[in-house]
Amino acid sequence: MTSRLLFILITALCCARMSTGQDPLAPSITKPAEDLDGTVTFEAMLSRGYAPLFNGKDLSGWRNPYPHGEAKVVDGEIHLLGDDKFFLVTKQKYSDFRVSVEIHLPAGPANSGLMFRCHVDDEAEKKVFGYQAECDGSDRRWSGGLFDESRRRWIWPSTKGRSTDQFLEHEAESKAAFASPMIANALHRNGWNQFVITCIEDRITIELNGVPTVAFRDTTDASGYIGIQHHGEDGQVYRFRNLFIKELPVIPAEESVTLTEQAPVTVKKINDNTTLVDFGKVAFGNITMRVPQGRGGNGRVHFGEKLKDGRVDRNPPGTVRYGASDFRTGSGEIGTWIVPAPVDVRNTEQAGATRAHPPAVLTPKSWLPVMPFRWVEIEGWPGEFKPEYIVRRAAFASDWNEDASSFACSDETLNRIWDLCKYSIQATTFAGVYVDGDRERIPYEADAYLNQLSHYTTDDDVKMAARSFDWLMENGTWPTEWAPHMVFMAYAEWMYSGDRQWLEQRYESLKAKTLMHRSGEDGLVRSSDTDQQRTDIVDWPQKERDQFVFTDINTVVNAFHIKALEQMAAMARAIGKNADAEAFESRVQLAKESFQASLFDESAGIYRDGVGTDHSSIHANFFPLAFGLVPDNKIDGVLNWLGKKDMACSPYAAQYFMEALFHYGSDKQAIELITADGDRSWKHMVNSGTSISWEAWDLKYKPNQDWNHAWGAAPANLFPRFILGAQPSSPGWATATIRPCPGGLKHANGKVPTPRGPIHIDWKQDATFKISLDLPHDMAASLDLPGTDATSGVYADGKKLAATYQNGRWIVRDNITGSVQLEVK
């Protein structure tokens, strides 16, 4: 059994354990609601890049290989009628794909299914055979199971007398999975049901109404037809709609990434046989090089991210990249040729041979292979190697606008950090979706969310975030807290774009990402032994957890859960699902009360790591603070405790640590941590000479870390959002909040991109605080400005504005528009 299948089973069993006694409102918000007329699903599938298998008008592209059975189109649906079993199948075969079909069973005894990679023998009695995703209307409730029609019968679940011996070894675990409430109750018996089947090489997965039911490997069929089934009950009508397919692999970079030619910064001869070429910064790409002339001979190009003793490091630590490609002189060709980077199988595999994981994001074949490198050594070149002989083809988002954003302040180290982090976001757009650097080239939810936040604040036409969201909804990963990050991604995209239709099309699928299926009657999420040992992350790598103690009720996991529920409530209201919003809000209230009662240590004034331990990590405190879960009368205590702590977390968790500090008035501490001496800060990164942010603070904290990891670029969003202080306060930036956090800096200025145009901010802090703002013409902003007890108010052109002073800040009553100059004095 694959590790993902084991995870599905354990999750399902955990659901069974936790299902009793839940909030009676919870069922309406735990799984996708049925799309009664199918229009939202239809538009959503089109927007996510799927192609219709059925045009809604006739049966073009389909055929019935049987002499019996009737198929007809009724109101945009396919209806199957007959008195004997038959299948309607596509005329086209498919190999690797994701197919989605909605099925509505008739009343009474009924059984249907979705055939995939199936075969047709027109001369045989049983004409259609092969893989089938089961739609089981009986009390057995095996819908979503994997069946092998007219061949080996039940694969998953398996059972004696109905499965071949090779599958019976899975009988107990497969039946246990299908007995769990999550899977057993996934089918809408009298409604529409969405089946999604993904086939990549030998890997098959099935989902029913958003619930994963099967993850299995089988090598029997690599391609075949798609088919839908009538089970043969006389007079019964089986209905099908929204039949879509997406052929795989999808290569996002083909539509959204451009290869940019870059000349070298320096070309230096190392010895008679070797020349070192420096392109100034790391980028993902390859090179074009003049075809070497002369007598026949062999040469080699060495690509590297790291130097050692003035040469490309050919044995770098961790996953710092190095590779080499050969060339031949005297080939008889003239002009230039592309020298591809060497291929790392992890960056191209679609179904891992030893472990189940989502497919790597491929780059276009026409590019030839790419990798991250800054330096190239040319070895074996005949004669002098001149700068004009070589160009790097670097891959960046096609719509990247270098002038979209800017940041500068009185601290030169912060300026260098901004430059590093902004370029890190640009350089990691090479794949067309947000990937985890160059280790696997796989999107992960938390990585993508941090990347998304920083992309919004550095570029001005960001489409990659929504594209990455859709990719991850189809290719999710395993950590517990990574699922709620999908809610965060959707909420951030809605606040950025204001696209209500986009949100409406994806809202229902987000219900599976809130961790509601693991919550109990008190509203808190439980963690099984496997969750505690593997899937609950808290931070990554493991040694960055500040000695966090894992228990069955985990403070960090529950903080993510509650924040996701809050955002789901807001999104539900935005699209008119008020009953859902009220159910989410009720659950939030219940969970918050339980969270505070169960996890807060009143004697210490801080949060414990979980129920059953007295240990308190910084993670158990800054995550609740960042998510607004700490009651007002407890905030100072938590802040004071955190004020004595250093950066005992990874660059990933530091995003939230810094957010908590900036938001609650500890901006000076945040800046001090960002620029701290030692090896646990962004100052250390920039002083190391790297040109793309790292996955960890240093190799000693994660020996296999990437040197091209965008989640290490958090200051790219922290500086505009907090030091400059610009954040959206309503969807689509219709209104903004301007809340600068000086943190001891003397001045800062910059340009913050929004979909409505840039916000220009320039502030200075001396005897008074002065700020100049220039807003887009159709945006209004509220002002929250720093002050002291000695200040009397906020002034514009000498006129005092209506404002309230609280907690060291002046809150201006009325929104401002256009260009203004203000002074707090």
Side-chain angles (χ1 to χ4, degrees):
M1 184 171 67
T2 67
S3 59
R4 174 154 172 81
L5 186 55
L6 177 62
F7 173 62
I8 291 171
L9 175 59
I10 290 169
T11 301
L13 293 177
C14 182
C15 292
R17 178 169 66 90
M18 292 311 306
S19 62
T20 58
Q22 283 192 340
D23 182 339
L25 292 175
S28 68
I29 53 177
T30 56
K31 63 180 182 179
E34 184 181 352
D35 182 9
L36 295 179
D37 65 7
T39 55
V40 173
T41 300
F42 183 85
E43 294 298 330
M45 298 305 287
L46 289 177
S47 75
R48 289 164 51 198
Y50 283 78
L53 284 168
F54 165 54
N55 63 20
K57 300 176 182 178
D58 57 46
L59 295 175
S60 300
W62 293 81
R63 73 184 185 99
N64 179 4
Y66 295 82
H68 58 272
E70 179 186 0
K72 59 183 181 180
V73 177
V74 179
D75 296 332
E77 302 172 4
I78 297 177
H79 288 192
L80 300 185
L81 305 87
D83 57 6
D84 197 0
K85 181 193 289 189
F86 76 99
F87 297 88
L88 191 71
V89 297
T90 59
K91 294 179 181 178
Q92 180 179 337
K93 288 185 175 182
Y94 300 91
S95 296
D96 287 0
F97 55 81
R98 182 172 287 108
V99 64
S100 177
V101 173
E102 290 186 86
I103 303 175
H104 195 301
L105 294 173
N111 183 287
S112 186
L114 177 60
M115 302 293 293
F116 57 96
R117 284 184 176 173
C118 70
H119 306 281
V120 178
D121 184 347
D122 289 289
E123 304 303 319
E125 178 183 356
K126 296 182 176 180
K127 299 180 184 300
V128 177
F129 60 95
Y131 298 131
Q132 181 186 102
E134 181 80 3
C135 186
D136 180 8
S138 74
D139 291 339
R140 181 181 55 183
R141 299 188 178 190
W142 281 5
S143 289
L146 177 58
F147 187 73
D148 196 0
E149 175 73 29
S150 298
R151 208 163 48 182
R152 298 168 297 173
R153 308 189 77 186
W154 279 101
I155 296 176
W156 188 278
S158 55
T159 188
K160 288 183 176 66
R162 305 199 70 187
S163 301
T164 58
D165 290 345
Q166 72 183 101
F167 304 125
L168 289 178
E169 63 184 89
H170 306 301
E171 182 175 6
E173 57 192 315
S174 62
K175 285 183 176 178
F178 274 76
S180 71
M182 183 172 68
I183 295 179
N185 298 328
L187 185 79
H188 302 308
R189 177 58 186 86
N190 299 309
W192 287 100
N193 297 278
Q194 184 182 35
F195 285 78
V196 178
I197 294 92
T198 304
C199 294
I200 302 176
E201 297 174 3
D202 64 346
R203 188 174 170 214
I204 299 167
T205 63
I206 300 173
E207 294 183 13
L208 169 57
N209 293 326
V211 175
T213 58
V214 171
F216 206 82
R217 289 185 180 274
D218 192 77
T219 58
T220 302
D221 296 312
S223 66
Y225 302 103
I226 308 296
I228 53 178
Q229 178 191 19
H230 189 294
H231 199 249
E233 295 84 1
D234 190 12
Q236 297 282 49
V237 178
Y238 287 78
R239 300 162 62 191
F240 304 83
R241 72 180 188 191
N242 287 334
L243 296 89
F244 284 90
I245 196 164
K246 180 186 290 185
E247 294 192 74
L248 302 176
V250 173
I251 304 177
E254 288 183 331
E255 303 296 328
S256 61
V257 180
T258 301
L259 291 177
T260 300
E261 293 192 345
Q262 298 176 323
V265 174
T266 63
V267 173
K268 179 182 178 182
K269 189 170 184 178
I270 300 296
N271 55 45
D272 290 343
N273 193 50
T274 308
T275 299
L276 179 67
V277 181
D278 182 5
F279 289 96
K281 293 181 178 180
V282 172
F284 286 80
N286 51 37
I287 62 170
T288 61
M289 190 171 69
R290 180 174 294 190
V291 176
Q293 303 300 302
R295 304 176 67 178
N298 296 315
R300 175 164 280 201
V301 178
H302 301 269
F303 300 85
E305 280 188 289
K306 180 177 179 293
L307 286 188
K308 183 177 181 180
D309 300 326
R311 302 286 299 274
V312 169
D313 191 341
R314 301 184 187 186
N315 187 29
T319 50
V320 177
R321 307 311 268 166
Y322 161 77
S325 297
D326 295 328
F327 65 86
R328 182 169 178 78
T329 61
S331 63
E333 297 177 317
I334 58 175
T336 59
W337 57 16
I338 300 170
V339 180
V343 176
D344 186 326
V345 67
R346 294 173 301 174
N347 295 337
T348 60
E349 63 183 1
Q350 299 298 286
T354 58
R355 62 187 179 92
H357 60 68
V361 181
L362 302 180
T363 52
K365 287 184 178 180
S366 61
W367 290 6
L368 299 187
V370 299
M371 68 174 282
F373 67 96
R374 171 177 171 176
W375 292 276
V376 166
E377 275 188 21
I378 312 295
E379 193 174 60
W381 183 273
E384 181 184 5
F385 190 89
K386 298 180 180 180
E388 58 267 29
Y389 290 177
I390 189 170
V391 169
R392 180 170 68 180
R393 306 192 313 160
F396 303 119
S398 303
D399 54 6
W400 180 267
N401 178 7
E402 180 61 25
D403 296 326
S405 62
S406 65
F407 174 85
C409 72
S410 55
D411 188 320
E412 187 55 34
T413 298
L414 289 180
N415 296 337
R416 292 170 59 211
I417 291 171
W418 163 261
D419 290 341
L420 166 68
C421 293
K422 177 179 176 178
Y423 178 73
S424 298
I425 300 305
Q426 178 187 5
T428 53
T429 60
F430 76 99
V433 290
Y434 304 139
V435 298
D436 68 328
D438 202 48
R439 178 179 296 112
E440 299 163 302
R441 295 194 189 173
I442 292 172
Y444 285 87
E445 293 86 342
D447 306 51
Y449 174 64
L450 269 60
N451 204 331
Q452 172 187 24
L453 293 180
S454 292
H455 201 172
Y456 290 155
T457 54
T458 52
D459 201 1
D460 61 358
D461 187 19
V462 179
K463 299 181 179 68
M464 195 172 292
R467 193 182 307 121
S468 299
F469 173 88
D470 285 343
W471 182 286
L472 278 161
M473 288 300 290
E474 296 174 352
N475 298 283
T477 65
W478 54 271
T480 296
E481 296 98 307
W482 276 208
H485 274 95
M486 293 305 298
V487 179
F488 295 4
M489 286 190 75
Y491 185 85
E493 172 63 19
W494 171 54
M495 290 298 289
Y496 172 79
S497 69
D499 190 337
R500 185 179 182 276
Q501 183 181 38
W502 181 92
L503 178 62
E504 184 177 22
Q505 292 168 352
R506 289 154 178 83
Y507 164 80
E508 291 293 341
S509 62
L510 285 169
K511 291 179 178 178
K513 302 297 183 179
T514 65
L515 306 180
M516 278 286 291
H517 62 280
R518 283 173 47 181
S519 65
E521 61 183 359
D522 58 359
L524 297 182
V525 170
R526 267 60 174 182
S527 296
S528 68
D529 289 343
T530 299
D531 295 319
Q532 294 175 49
Q533 294 164 15
R534 180 175 184 265
T535 60
D536 293 353
I537 285 290
V538 174
D539 204 346
W540 195 261
Q542 297 96 320
K543 292 181 181 179
E544 296 284 32
R545 294 169 175 163
D546 194 27
Q547 301 180 4
F548 187 92
V549 177
F550 289 83
T551 64
D552 64 341
I553 299 180
N554 175 319
T555 302
V556 172
V557 166
N558 275 284
F560 272 95
H561 171 60
I562 297 170
K563 186 63 177 179
L565 295 182
E566 285 186 334
Q567 292 188 349
M568 287 296 292
M571 291 187 288
R573 288 218 180 272
I575 61 174
K577 291 184 177 287
N578 292 328
D580 274 9
E582 291 171 6
F584 278 123
E585 289 162 357
S586 174
R587 196 69 179 179
V588 167
Q589 181 66 25
L590 173 66
K592 277 187 173 181
E593 292 173 359
S594 299
F595 185 87
Q596 191 66 22
S598 300
L599 297 167
F600 191 76
D601 184 342
E602 291 287 351
S603 61
I606 55 176
Y607 291 89
R608 306 178 184 92
D609 293 346
V611 172
T613 179
D614 289 329
H615 185 264
S616 296
S617 65
I618 64 170
H619 302 74
N621 288 275
F622 68 65
F623 277 115
L625 194 61
F627 295 156
L629 305 182
V630 184
D632 290 345
N633 64 340
K634 308 295 186 184
I635 289 173
D636 286 345
V638 173
L639 273 176
N640 290 337
W641 184 82
L642 287 172
K644 302 171 186 176
K645 302 297 180 178
D646 60 12
M647 194 80 83
C649 61
S650 76
Y652 149 69
Q655 168 80 50
Y656 297 100
F657 189 11
M658 298 303 101
E659 285 186 6
L661 296 178
F662 275 120
H663 186 75
Y664 287 101
S666 294
D667 34 298
K668 186 174 182 180
Q669 182 191 357
I671 292 173
E672 287 173 350
L673 288 172
I674 289 168
T675 59
D677 294 328
D679 56 14
R680 302 184 66 82
S681 70
W682 278 281
K683 180 180 179 180
H684 173 62
M685 274 196 209
V686 294
N687 286 346
S688 74
T690 187
S691 57
I692 301 181
S693 56
W694 294 344
E695 182 183 6
W697 297 121
D698 197 84
L699 285 163
K700 74 181 185 183
Y701 301 113
K702 193 174 193 297
N704 70 335
Q705 73 152 318
D706 280 339
W707 273 18
N708 44 68
H709 209 96
W711 87 355
N717 73 77
L718 294 172
F719 293 1
R721 293 170 61 216
F722 294 105
I723 296 179
L724 295 180
Q727 297 198 51
S729 54
S730 62
W733 286 86
T735 58
T737 297
I738 307 299
R739 183 181 179 275
C741 299
L745 298 175
K746 294 180 179 179
H747 61 80
N749 66 82
K751 181 196 295 187
V752 182
T754 82
R756 298 172 182 266
I759 300 173
H760 295 270
I761 301 174
D762 188 347
W763 61 255
K764 295 178 176 63
Q765 180 160 267
D766 196 358
T768 63
F769 181 86
K770 297 178 181 178
I771 185 169
S772 173
L773 290 171
D774 185 13
L775 303 175
H777 70 89
D778 55 351
M779 181 188 295
S782 62
L783 296 178
D784 182 337
L785 303 177
T788 67
D789 292 342
T791 55
S792 62
V794 181
Y795 296 82
D797 298 325
K799 180 181 178 182
K800 189 175 183 179
L801 304 180
T804 302
Y805 182 72
Q806 59 186 46
N807 298 322
R809 301 191 69 89
W810 286 98
I811 315 299
V812 177
R813 185 187 65 188
D814 299 322
N815 286 355
I816 58 100
T817 59
S819 298
V820 295
Q821 290 77 43
L822 303 160
E823 185 175 10
V824 178
K825 61 180 181 179

